[in-house]
């Protein structure tokens, strides 16, 4: 596994010199995994987090995503920089990822997302990625998470992970109907633990907590998502060493025109977490410890 291109040299300069007297200079550093949650247009905030990590020379050794987080995670893993992802995200519109096609299974289809992903990703297969990648969808029949990674094309897993119930029609794969990964795993911290990382940083994009009465079907579904995810939040927090939560709760799910503000929110939240992450990097990795990770 290789760290993201462009970060290796910065990591040596920024982190290696922090050890007193150079005593830890050759000690193994913890391997960091980044788990990106969903949020549709609000997922652009992930770009701000990636930008800050690059600025401070913090390598990402593995990355996982659900829904909008799956798009950003895949782009980053393929070798796209935070700025490149941000440029595409700023120009992104709903028609880039969906086409209205009313059916009994949903209001829109996501096949057009494949063209958008070709423009965004620098690599198209899991085995070609520069950073190990996992994408999570949900099996509609069993309710279990379906974790994609290792080999194969990334487009279908991303489409499946983004298939918000009611809005998008499920993606059919090997006889299974797949929907939004956040239905079964709001933040994909768990898969990163099996990818050889020592520390998991989870990025959570919270929805508005005290929303008013819904006035359309999508708002009803969105509120149901929020209620469900509150009940399962403890699971992914226990698997996370640090949680970064950009303040995007007041931003609408389809506010693609707010890219600059969303990225800024991601940067602000990530900057607050930098001292904690740098403290990990100043100490040797302790992989022999099997204690449950702490949530921050």
């Amino acid at each position: 596994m290789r760290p993201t291109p462009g970060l290796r040299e910065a990591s040596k300069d920024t982190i290696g010199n922090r050890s007193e007297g150079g005593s830890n200079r050759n000690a193994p550093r913890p391997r960091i995994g980044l788990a990106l949650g969903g949020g549709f247009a609000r997922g652009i905030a992930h770009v701000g987090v990636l930008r800050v990590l690059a600025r401070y020379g913090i390598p990402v050794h593995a990355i996982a995503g659900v829904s909008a987080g799956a798009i950003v995670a895949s782009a980053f893993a393929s070798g796209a920089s935070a700025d490149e992802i941000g440029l595409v995200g700023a120009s992104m519109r709903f028609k880039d990822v969906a086409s209205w096609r009313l059916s009994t299974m949903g209001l829109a289809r996501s096949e057009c997302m494949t063209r958008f992903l070709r423009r965004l990703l620098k690599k198209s297969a899991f085995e070609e990625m520069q950073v190990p990648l996992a994408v999570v969808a949900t099996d509609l029949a069993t309710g279990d998470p379906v974790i994609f990674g290792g080999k194969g094309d990334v487009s279908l897993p991303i489409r499946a992970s983004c298939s918000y119930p009611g809005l998008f029609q499920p993606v059919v794969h090997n006889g299974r109907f797949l929907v939004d990964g956040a239905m079964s795993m709001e933040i994909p911290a768990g898969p990163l633990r099996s990818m050889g990382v020592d520390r998991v940083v989870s990025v959570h994009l919270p929805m508005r907590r005290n929303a008013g009465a819904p006035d359309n079907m999508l708002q009803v579904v969105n509120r149901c998502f929020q209620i469900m995810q509150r009940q399962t939040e403890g699971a992914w927090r226990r698997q996370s060493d640090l949680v970064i939560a950009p303040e995007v709760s007041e931003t609408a799910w389809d506010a693609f025109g707010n890219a600059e503000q969303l990225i800024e929110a991601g940067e602000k939240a990530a900057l607050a977490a930098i001292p904690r992450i740098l403290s990990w990097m100043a100490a040797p990795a302790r992989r022999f410890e099997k204690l449950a990770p702490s949530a921050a």
Side-chain angles (χ1 to χ4, degrees):
M1 300 181 186
R2 294 177 296 171
T4 308
L7 295 190
R8 181 175 296 172
E9 183 176 352
S11 175
K12 289 179 180 177
D13 293 340
T14 305
I15 296 165
N17 292 335
R18 292 179 180 271
S19 57
E20 295 182 4
S23 59
N24 287 330
R25 185 177 298 275
N26 296 319
R29 304 303 183 194
R31 301 180 65 81
I32 295 176
L34 190 62
L36 305 184
F40 216 68
R42 293 180 292 121
I44 299 172
H46 291 311
V47 172
V49 176
L50 291 171
R51 185 178 287 174
V52 169
L53 294 180
R55 187 184 307 159
Y56 282 84
I58 297 170
V60 175
H61 298 92
I63 192 166
V66 300
S67 198
I71 296 177
V72 177
S74 299
F76 178 80
S78 76
S81 69
D83 288 342
E84 288 173 322
I85 301 170
L87 284 173
V88 176
S91 65
M92 180 181 175
R93 295 297 180 265
F94 183 77
K95 62 182 178 61
D96 291 318
V97 295
S99 57
W100 296 111
R101 190 72 61 83
L102 184 63
S103 83
T104 56
M105 302 290 278
L107 302 177
R109 297 175 64 91
S110 62
E111 281 83 356
C112 64
M113 189 184 297
T114 302
R115 293 193 299 273
F116 170 77
L117 293 174
R118 288 197 198 104
R119 179 160 57 97
L120 176 64
L121 305 184
K122 295 184 179 294
K123 304 289 182 181
S124 60
F126 283 100
E127 61 268 29
E128 298 173 336
M129 295 296 168
Q130 297 186 16
V131 176
L133 168 70
V135 172
V136 182
T138 301
D139 187 323
L140 191 57
T142 66
D144 295 330
V146 179
I147 302 170
F148 291 91
K151 296 184 64 176
D153 187 82
V154 301
S155 295
L156 184 142
I158 295 172
R159 285 178 47 223
S161 187
C162 292
S163 292
Y164 192 89
L167 176 60
F168 288 101
Q169 298 170 28
V171 171
V172 181
H173 177 64
N174 290 340
R176 294 187 293 184
F177 288 81
L178 303 180
V179 294
D180 197 317
M183 289 292 296
S184 57
M185 190 179 293
E186 183 184 3
I187 307 288
L192 288 171
R193 291 293 180 187
S194 63
M195 295 168 72
V197 304
D198 305 299
R199 299 283 190 173
V200 172
V201 177
S202 293
V203 185
H204 181 221
L205 305 177
M207 293 184 281
R208 183 183 300 177
R209 289 232 174 229
N210 297 309
D215 57 19
N216 60 61
M217 180 188 71
L218 291 180
Q219 288 184 8
V220 171
V221 175
N222 193 55
R223 288 293 292 163
C224 290
F225 250 86
Q226 186 175 9
I227 294 167
M228 176 193 69
Q229 289 171 351
R230 282 183 187 175
Q231 307 306 312
T232 60
E233 187 172 334
W236 64 261
R237 283 189 178 273
R238 284 190 295 271
Q239 294 172 319
S240 305
D241 294 286
L242 176 65
V243 178
I244 297 175
E247 184 45 66
V248 296
S249 60
E250 298 302 314
T251 304
W253 66 276
D254 58 347
F256 292 105
N258 292 354
E260 184 176 339
Q261 296 93 320
L262 289 165
I263 293 173
E264 183 178 342
E267 289 182 325
K268 183 177 180 180
L271 282 169
I274 285 297
R276 176 84 176 274
I277 299 174
L278 290 179
S279 72
W280 300 341
M281 305 304 292
R286 298 199 294 174
R287 298 180 196 172
F288 59 86
E289 291 190 355
K290 299 298 183 181
L291 298 176
S294 59

